[in-house]
Every structure is written in structure tokens, then in C-alpha cells.
């Protein structure tokens, strides 16, 4: 009671100060919006401009960069989809990233779980081995990685599936390079989970694997979701590794980033600029849609990822 | 006696299943990691001391000759200089802009303790470039920066009768264009990151400071920034490492992959060029080793410099 009465004047002083500020700083809020809208425009305008250019004719693109198209030319999109193989590249990206992320999450959570919740000789060393991968620039490994994957290709039976110019090779490399962060993040997560439920399950005779898949994995769901998003985006955006591992001889296996970049860099004087804008729009559109739907989870996943 | 034997027998069996489980769960991830990550990194250091060009089965050992040659390689040092410039400017640019916007979003409202209207909308829009693949962003801005009347930025300049800017073709401007794109993509992420940090600062602190008559500027420098320092430090290290790893933007966006006339080249581009265009695998690996030491040195220096008294709240 006494303390409540004591806090009354403070609260009053606060609301008075708030009122005073509101009067003084009203215009400031307006200026804030001004600044924020400028950056909003910086983000939105280039993207909208690209979408507009994707339905223009070549003449309209070169004649007046800012004009609206007279008639929307959707045949640019058709050409990009068919002739520039954007559909094919997109499908390849979906295949590689789904397999890559699924494999990363399965292997990563298994390793993280064992390293976080079991004490055994060498466990700490294995954990440090994984985490040390966070510190290395990937460019250092590029050359030997190319030869490792090439040598894999000469293995009997499975070679063609995991060598150069194969989905399998790319998927395994994606998984391996996603492991350091996944293991690091998830083992921290598994460590925080309560052990009582797992112990009860052990007493009831559940196996180690069963406790992991049916109890610990569901409990770790928030962490799993964050890191899955982190890995999906990371692998979807990958450009450097496919550039090294999928050569020009296997264009049918190229991923989206590689395909779009190639359309752009290979474009000469007689390039189909309208189709390039259409291809670019097609690459951006699904990201925009997915982002709009999952923006909350994506922001949470990526920021959780950065605070390693 | 019989009882004890039974128990230790059971204990052994439990220990065995446990060991089998641990080995079973670790086998695949560790194997994959050793083959595709650890072994390439380890090999890179030894390849760096060879003259390997991919043709001979046994690369010749040349010791530190590649590193000696690197010392006299003007293009490589140009790349190092560009990375160094980006290392300083990209974090500064990104962090300053992001802190400004995050502060506006969280304390730019009618009172310093209230965010502006629509803060959520701004955060969603600002963050979007982060979801775009870097290679896609590079192609996008290649078009935005086009030197003729078809470029988004040059069209209005030409219409006004001004000289078009060679955003990517003028050697004096190109690197700044690269920097602009890097900052454009990164800002939203840090706005969200800092917003989350600012949201956890107790409003009472702002209100108390306001009652004491502190203006927005003082609030920012005396309350927000000190309390946010850990997050800013993380952002700085993260951006610095990103600046050392710039590749796709330069490789895709610029003429001659780092041009014109090496005006925009970076270490990663030189490594890729030497390895996969010139097939100088030994030499490229030596560059990789240098990049590795730059990265480690940067992280060490950054951690040391930004260590400060942690403010508890």
C-alpha cells in the first residue's frame, strides 16, 4: 500500500513529462517518417523498376527507363522461362536446397544432440572441430574442395552421383559447410532442455535414438525452426560453391543464382534485355512471396543466427 | 556375488549401447565434415607451397615462393587495399545508418520511449534485401547502374541534360557503387537486430532520462548506445568478415570481374580467378592463406578493441 502511494507522484511526473515531450517533439516524429520513407523508397524502387522493365519492349527499356510500358509484354516472361531456362534453374535450386537443408538438419541435430548431452572421451574435441569451421573463409578451401569432389566422382558405383556436375556432390558440400553453425547453435539449444523427461523415458525402457527423435527433437522445435530457415536461405543464396562445382558443361543442373548471373554476364550486345529483366523478376518474386509469408520467422531465424 | 556380476553385466551392456549410439549418431556428420571441410582447409595450406597447376599428378614443392611472388603482385595488393577499404567503410556505413533507423523506429515516436507509427512495416520492408540472393542483387544493380539512358539512375540525369555517371565503368566511382550495394543489402538486417536490442532496454530508463531533460541525441549516446554496445560489436565483426569475403557482387556486377582495370577487384575474386581461370592452384591457395590470416587477425583485433565495460541493466 505504502509503496503504491509512493509511486503515484513518480507516475504523475512521468506522464506529465511524456505530455510535454509530445508537444515539443511532435514534428520530430514527422521527420522520422521522412527519413524512414526515403530508405523504404531506396529498397522498393529498384525492385518495382525491375518488374516494370520486365514487361516492357526493348525499345521502351532503352528509350525511357522510367516510363510505364504501353502494353504489358508478358512474352518476355515466357521467353525467360523457356529460352533462358529460369524454370529449370529454379527447380534445380529447389531440389538441391531441400535435400541440402533436410540433410543438414538431420545430421546437424544428431551431432549437436550427442555433443551437448553425452559426456564421452573426445566429445569436446569433436565439438571444437565443428565450431572451428565457423572461423575459416570458404575461399581458402575452394581449390582443394574442387579436387575432393572431383575425386569423389571416380568412386565406384556412387561416383557419378556425388562427383562434379552432380546434384549429390553439391548437396553433400552444402550439408558439410552448414554443419559448423548448425551444430554450434543446436548444441547450445539442446543443452538448455530439461533432462527429466528424457530420464523418465529411459526408465520406461526407451532407446537413446527413440528419446532423441520422439522427445528431444520435438522439444527443440523453436531452435530447429530458426536454424532451418537460416540454412534454407543460406543454401538458396549460395553462388560461389555451385560456380566451382557445376561447370558450364552441366548447364541443365545449374542453380538459380548461377543461371541468372550467367544470363547477365554472358549477355553481349545483342542480348535480350527484356528477358533478362523478366528472369530477374522471376528470381525475386518467389523470395518476395516467401518472405512476406514468413517474415517474422525469417527475421527471428537470421538474427538468432547472427548472434553466434 | 551373483547379484553383483549381473549388475555389472547389465552396466556393461548399457555402456555398450550408449557408446554404439554415440558412434552411430556422430559417424555420418563427422565423416562428411572431415572429407568436405577439414581436409580441404588442411590441404589448402600445403597446396599453397606448391607450383601445382592441376596437370601433374605430383605438384612440385616450392616452399614460400608463392608468397614471395605475392609480395610483388600489384593486382593482389590492389585487391587487399579494396578489401581494407570495404572493411572500414562497409561496417561504418551500415552500422551508422542502421543505428539511426533503429533508434527512429524505437524512440522516434511522440515520446522517446515510444516507437514511430508503422515501425513493424518499416522493419519488414528494410529487411527484404537480406532475403535476396547476393548474385541476384548484383544483377539487379547492374541494371540500375547502367551507363546509358536505360539505367534507372542515369536516365533522369540524361533527361536533365547532365553527364551520365559511369557507376560501374568509371574506375574512380565503381568501388563506391559496390560499397553502396553492400550497405543497401545489409542495413535492414542490422535495423532488425538493433531494434530487438533496443526493445529490451527498459522504458523507465528513457523516461527517467527525459525527466532529467535529456534530448534525443543525448538519449541515444548516453542510454541507447552503451546498452547496445555488445550487439554493435557483434555487428561490426560480422560485417568486417563479410567485407573480407565479398565476391558475388564484384564477380557478377563489374566488367572483367573486378574491373574496369582492377578498380573493384577483391581478394576472393583474385583467388577464384587464379584458381579456376588461370589454373594456378598453388598460387591461388597462397592467396587463400593470406586471406585466412587477415580474417583471423581482424577478428582478434576487433574483439580486443571493442571490449568494454559491460553495462548491466
Amino acid at each position: 500500500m505504502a509503496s503504491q502511494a509512493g509511486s503515484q507522484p513518480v507516475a504523475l511526473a512521468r506522464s506529465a513529462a511524456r505530455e510535454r515531450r509530445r508537444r515539443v517533439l511532435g514534428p520530430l516524429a514527422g521527420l522520422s517518417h521522412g527519413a524512414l520513407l526515403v530508405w523504404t523508397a531506396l529498397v522498393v524502387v529498384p525492385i518495382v523498376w525491375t518488374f516494370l522493365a520486365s514487361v516492357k519492349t526493348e525499345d521502351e527499356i532503352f528509350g525511357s527507363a522510367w516510363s510505364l510500358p504501353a502494353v504489358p509484354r508478358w512474352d518476355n516472361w515466357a521467353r525467360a522461362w523457356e529460352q533462358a531456362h529460369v524454370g529449370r534453374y529454379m527447380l534445380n535450386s529447389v531440389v538441391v536446397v531441400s535435400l541440402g537443408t533436410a540433410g543438414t538438419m538431420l545430421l546437424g541435430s544428431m551431432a549437436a544432440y550427442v555433443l551437448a548431452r553425452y559426456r564421452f572421451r573426445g566429445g569436446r574435441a569433436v565439438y571444437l572441430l565443428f565450431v572451428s569451421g565457423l572461423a575459416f573463409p570458404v575461399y581458402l578451401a575452394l581449390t582443394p574442395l574442387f579436387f575432393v569432389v572431383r575425386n569423389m566422382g571416380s568412386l565406384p558405383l556412387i561416383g557419378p552421383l556425388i562427383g562434379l556436375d552432380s546434384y549429390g556432390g553439391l548437396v553433400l558440400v552444402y550439408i558439410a559447410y552448414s554443419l559448423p553453425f548448425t551444430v554450434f547453435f543446436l548444441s547450445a539449444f539442446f543443452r538448455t532442455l530439461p533432462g527429466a523427461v528424457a530420464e523418465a523415458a529411459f526408465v520406461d525402457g526407451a532407446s537413446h535414438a527413440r528419446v532423441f527423435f520422439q522427445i528431444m527433437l520435438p522439444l527443440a522445435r523453436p531452435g530447429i525452426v530458426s536454424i532451418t530457415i537460416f540454412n534454407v536461405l543460406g543454401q538458396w543464396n549460395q553462388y560461389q560453391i555451385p560456380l566451382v562445382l557445376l561447370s558450364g558443361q552441366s548447364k541443365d543442373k545449374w542453380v538459380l543464382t548461377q543461371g541468372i548471373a550467367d544470363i547477365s554476364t554472358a549477355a553481349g550486345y545483342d542480348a535480350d534485355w527484356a528477358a533478362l529483366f523478366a528472369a530477374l523478376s522471376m528470381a525475386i518474386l518467389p523470395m518476395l512471396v516467401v518472405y512476406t509469408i514468413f517474415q517474422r520467422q525469417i527475421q527471428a531465424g537470421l538474427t538468432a543466427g547472427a548472434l553466434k | 556375488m551373483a547379484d553383483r556380476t549381473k549388475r555389472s553385466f547389465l552396466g556393461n551392456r548399457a555402456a555398450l549401447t550408449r557408446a554404439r549410439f554415440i558412434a552411430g549418431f556422430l559417424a555420418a556428420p563427422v565423416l562428411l565434415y572431415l572429407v568436405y571441410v577439414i581436409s580441404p582447409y588442411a590441404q589448402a595450406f600445403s597446396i599453397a607451397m606448391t607450383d601445382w597447376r592441376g596437370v601433374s599428378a605430383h605438384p612440385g614443392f616450392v616452399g614460400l615462393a608463392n608468397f614471395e611472388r605475392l609480395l610483388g603482385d600489384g593486382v593482389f595488393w590492389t585487391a587487399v587495399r579494396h578489401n581494407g577499404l570495404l572493411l572500414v567503410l562497409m561496417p561504418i556505413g551500415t552500422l551508422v545508418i542502421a543505428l539511426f533507423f533503429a533508434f527512429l523506429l524505437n524512440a522516434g515516436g511522440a515520446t522517446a520511449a515510444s516507437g514511430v507509427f508503422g515501425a513493424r512495416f518499416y522493419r519488414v520492408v528494410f529487411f527484404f534485401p537480406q532475403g535476396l540472393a547476393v548474385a541476384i542483387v548484383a544483377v539487379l544493380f547492374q541494371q540500375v547502374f547502367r551507363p546509358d539512358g536505360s539505367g534507372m539512375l542515369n536516365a533522369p540525369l540524361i533527361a536533365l541534360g547532365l553527364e551520365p555517371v559511369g557507376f560501374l565503368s568509371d574506375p574512380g566511382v565503381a568501388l563506391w557503387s559496390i560499397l553502396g550495394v553492400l550497405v543497401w543489402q545489409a542495413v535492414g538486417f542490422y535495423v532488425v537486430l538493433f531494434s530487438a536490442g533496443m526493445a529490451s532496454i527498459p522504458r523507465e530508463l528513457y523516461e527517467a532520462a527525459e525527466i532529467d531533460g535529456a534530448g534525443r541525441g543525448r538519449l541515444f549516446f548516453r542510454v541507447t548506445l552503451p546498452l547496445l554496445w555488445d550487439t554493435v560489436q557483434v555487428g561490426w565483426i560480422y560485417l568486417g568478415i563479410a567485407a573480407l569475403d565479398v565476391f558475388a557482387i564484384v564477380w557478377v556486377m563489374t566488367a572483367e570481374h573486378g574491373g574496369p582495370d582492377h578498380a573493384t577487384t577483391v581478394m576472393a575474386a583474385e583467388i577464384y580467378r587464379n584458381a579456376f581461370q588461370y589454373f594456378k592452384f598453388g598460387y591461388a591457395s597462397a592467396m587463400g592463406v593470406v586471406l585466412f590470416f587477415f580474417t583471423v587477425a581482424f577478428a582478434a583485433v576487433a574483439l580486443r578493441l571493442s571490449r568494454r565495460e559491460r553495462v548491466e541493466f
Side-chain angles (χ1 to χ4, degrees):
Chain A
M1 268 315 248
S3 69
Q4 251 183 7
S7 70
Q8 204 78 357
V10 178
L12 272 178
R14 271 194 196 147
S15 78
R18 222 177 272 161
E19 197 47 49
R20 208 164 49 235
R21 290 281 145 197
R22 190 164 289 147
R23 255 177 282 127
V24 178
L25 294 166
L28 242 169
L31 283 178
S32 300
H33 277 292
L36 290 163
L37 284 172
V38 167
W39 195 269
T40 306
L42 279 178
V43 170
V44 173
V45 170
I47 295 166
V48 172
W49 177 78
T50 303
F51 277 92
L52 273 179
S54 78
V55 290
K56 287 178 170 181
T57 63
E58 203 99 324
D59 287 343
E60 283 172 329
I61 290 172
F62 283 97
S64 38
W66 279 87
S67 68
L68 294 173
V71 219
R73 301 295 295 265
W74 294 105
D75 55 307
N76 296 337
W77 285 56
R79 275 204 318 284
W81 187 264
E82 296 283 324
Q83 286 163 27
H85 311 294
V86 173
R88 174 85 220 176
Y89 298 147
M90 210 176 277
L91 184 71
N92 290 343
S93 274
V94 169
V95 169
V96 172
V97 172
S98 340
L99 293 175
T101 311
T104 304
M105 294 318 294
L106 180 68
L107 297 185
S109 62
M110 279 161 52
Y113 174 70
V114 169
L115 294 172
R117 297 196 73 101
Y118 287 80
R119 290 175 69 84
F120 58 98
R121 201 174 308 137
R124 181 87 192 140
V126 174
Y127 174 77
L128 288 177
L129 189 71
F130 273 117
V131 174
S132 67
L134 287 171
F136 303 147
V138 71
Y139 301 94
L140 177 59
L142 274 185
T143 306
L145 180 64
F146 172 81
F147 287 100
V148 165
V149 176
R150 199 183 72 169
N151 293 340
M152 288 288 163
S154 56
L155 286 177
L157 287 173
I158 53 167
L161 293 176
I162 59 170
L164 290 175
D165 299 335
S166 72
Y167 291 135
L170 199 56
V171 167
L172 291 180
V173 169
Y174 278 6
I175 295 173
Y177 281 83
S178 307
L179 279 177
F181 187 67
T182 308
V183 168
F184 172 74
F185 185 92
L186 285 181
S187 60
F189 209 87
F190 278 123
R191 242 176 256 131
T192 64
L193 295 181
V197 195
E199 261 151 44
F202 280 129
V203 171
D204 288 347
S207 69
H208 292 278
R210 198 182 153 107
V211 166
F212 170 71
F213 282 111
Q214 295 199 327
I215 297 172
M216 299 314 268
L217 214 49
L219 276 178
R221 221 183 109 164
I224 302 270
V225 169
S226 284
I227 216 64
T228 304
I229 288 169
F230 186 84
N231 283 324
V232 168
L233 278 173
Q235 296 182 6
W236 180 268
N237 291 347
Q238 187 51 246
Y239 169 69
Q240 171 70 71
I241 291 176
L243 191 63
V244 172
L245 298 183
L246 301 178
S247 71
Q249 282 139 32
S250 61
K251 273 197 168 187
D252 57 320
K253 295 213 175 66
W254 277 11
V255 296
L256 186 62
T257 48
Q258 201 180 1
I260 300 283
D262 183 66
I263 299 170
S264 166
T265 47
Y269 290 105
D270 55 345
D272 187 346
W273 294 109
L276 173 65
F277 279 108
L280 199 50
S281 305
M282 270 184 244
I284 294 174
L285 198 61
M287 291 174 176
L288 199 60
V289 172
V290 170
Y291 175 67
T292 315
I293 299 172
F294 296 109
Q295 44 91 9
R296 196 186 288 266
Q297 289 89 332
I298 289 175
Q299 291 193 354
L302 283 186
T303 29
L307 290 171
K308 51 186 170 190
Chain B
M1 175 85 173
D3 193 43
R4 193 186 294 167
T5 326
K6 196 179 159 197
R7 199 182 301 148
S8 86
F9 173 69
L10 271 181
N12 273 338
R13 246 183 67 166
L16 197 68
T17 35
R18 183 176 175 274
R20 222 188 271 146
F21 167 75
I22 291 173
F25 259 39
L26 281 181
V30 169
L31 181 72
L32 209 60
Y33 186 66
L34 286 177
V35 169
Y36 287 106
V37 181
I38 296 297
S39 94
Y41 279 123
Q43 287 177 52
F45 285 93
S46 58
I47 296 176
M49 293 198 263
T50 68
D51 58 3
W52 199 28
R53 305 202 50 158
V55 270
S56 55
H58 297 286
F61 180 82
V62 294
L64 297 175
N66 283 328
F67 295 94
E68 245 167 75
R69 233 176 85 206
L70 262 185
L71 285 176
D73 185 338
V75 175
F76 182 71
W77 290 106
T78 308
V80 171
R81 218 176 47 241
H82 292 159
N83 275 116
L85 204 67
L86 294 176
L87 180 65
V88 174
L89 296 179
M90 182 188 153
I92 290 180
T94 308
L95 293 177
V96 167
I97 296 173
L99 278 168
F100 174 66
F101 284 130
F103 188 66
L104 287 188
L105 287 175
N106 289 280
T111 72
S114 66
V116 298
F117 173 74
R120 217 178 101 74
F121 165 79
Y122 290 121
R123 272 197 291 269
V124 171
V125 174
F126 285 15
F127 197 85
F128 175 65
Q130 194 69 34
L132 288 179
V134 185
I136 305 290
V137 169
V139 179
L140 174 69
F141 274 91
Q142 202 179 30
Q143 303 310 315
V144 167
F145 287 148
R146 284 256 281 262
D148 51 30
S150 65
M152 190 185 112
L153 293 175
N154 273 324
L157 292 180
I158 291 168
L160 288 171
L162 297 168
E163 276 291 299
V165 179
F167 289 103
L168 297 172
S169 53
D170 181 342
V173 179
L175 193 64
W176 297 96
S177 307
I178 301 278
L179 177 67
V181 177
L182 292 170
V183 172
W184 179 85
Q185 187 168 33
V187 159
F189 178 83
Y190 292 93
V191 168
V192 170
L193 192 66
F194 294 150
S195 288
M198 287 181 192
S200 68
I201 296 175
R203 298 159 65 101
E204 285 77 18
L205 282 177
Y206 283 124
E207 291 177 341
E210 278 200 297
I211 292 170
D212 292 347
R216 293 296 160 108
R218 276 175 82 92
L219 276 183
F220 177 78
F221 286 107
R222 292 294 166 80
V223 180
T224 308
L225 198 55
L227 291 179
L228 210 62
W229 194 248
D230 276 354
T231 318
V232 176
Q233 175 186 333
V234 170
W236 188 52
I237 295 175
Y238 204 65
L239 281 163
I241 289 175
L244 287 170
D245 277 350
V246 169
F247 175 75
I249 294 278
V250 165
W251 194 259
V252 176
M253 211 164 99
T254 60
E256 308 148 34
H257 307 301
D261 198 20
H262 308 299
T264 57
T265 196
V266 285
M267 280 187 274
E270 289 311 316
I271 293 172
Y272 182 85
R273 192 196 317 276
N274 275 282
F276 297 103
Q277 290 192 337
Y278 304 158
F279 304 106
K280 296 180 185 169
F281 296 118
Y283 194 51
S285 293
M287 290 180 174
V289 170
V290 173
L291 173 61
F292 169 76
F293 283 115
F294 277 133
T295 309
V296 171
F298 165 74
V301 169
L303 282 171
R304 181 140 207 117
L305 281 184
S306 50
R307 193 179 300 151
R308 262 207 188 181
E309 282 294 303
R310 187 178 297 233
V311 188
E312 298 288 345
F313 58 90

